[in-house]
Amino acid sequence: MPETGTVVDFKVCPKFEKTFGILGKKWNGLIIDVLLNEGPQRFKELTAKISKCSDRVLVERLRELEEDGIISRELVSDCRPVYKLTKQGLDLSQVMIDIHKWAEKWYSLDDCQ
């Protein structure tokens, strides 16, 4: 621990910065949360559950999450894609549980209006 009065150069860990860039991007947390709680989803199912997000932005976020290894896009028998979490994405489960607990502790429904 540094002595009082000394200057410490704090640097954010690049891995933390990358992770927070993914989770902190608008809609990503909601997409991950839906897939964690509801399982694999078709695009229309995701749009119904995340209704405030435009289709265009949802497509962008899904592609980005796929590139980051958080979700996978798989074609099923009718050739329509299903989005699901990868092992890496599933590993965010405890993080999302902790975020829910924190939100319950610190925010009321009135705060969310």
Side-chain angles (χ1 to χ4, degrees):
M1 181 149 213
E3 294 181 33
T4 305
T6 61
V7 176
V8 177
D9 289 332
F10 175 80
K11 292 186 181 183
V12 175
C13 169
K15 292 178 182 181
F16 179 84
E17 190 173 358
K18 166 109 175 123
T19 302
F20 217 81
I22 294 168
L23 295 179
K25 197 164 202 178
K26 191 167 185 177
W27 307 114
N28 283 359
L30 294 176
I31 294 166
I32 293 166
D33 201 47
V34 167
L35 294 174
L36 277 169
N37 288 291
E38 303 288 327
Q41 301 284 301
R42 294 184 185 275
F43 184 80
K44 280 190 169 191
E45 294 169 323
L46 285 169
T47 59
K49 292 175 178 137
I50 309 171
S51 59
K52 292 183 181 179
C53 181
S54 72
D55 289 1
R56 182 187 61 78
V57 172
L58 184 57
V59 167
E60 287 175 16
R61 295 300 177 268
L62 290 169
R63 284 186 184 143
E64 291 166 358
L65 288 168
E66 188 175 8
E67 289 171 11
D68 287 323
I70 306 294
I71 66 169
S72 64
R73 179 182 181 267
E74 297 178 6
L75 294 177
V76 290
S77 59
D78 60 2
C79 294
R80 292 188 306 173
V82 170
Y83 298 91
K84 67 182 199 173
L85 292 169
T86 62
K87 185 176 180 184
Q88 182 179 346
L90 290 168
D91 211 25
L92 289 166
S93 178
Q94 188 60 51
V95 172
M96 298 307 283
I97 288 168
D98 289 341
I99 290 171
H100 277 282
K101 287 180 184 177
W102 184 87
E104 284 294 321
K105 179 178 179 178
W106 292 103
Y107 293 109
S108 71
L109 288 177
D110 290 337
D111 294 327
C112 302
Q113 302 295 323

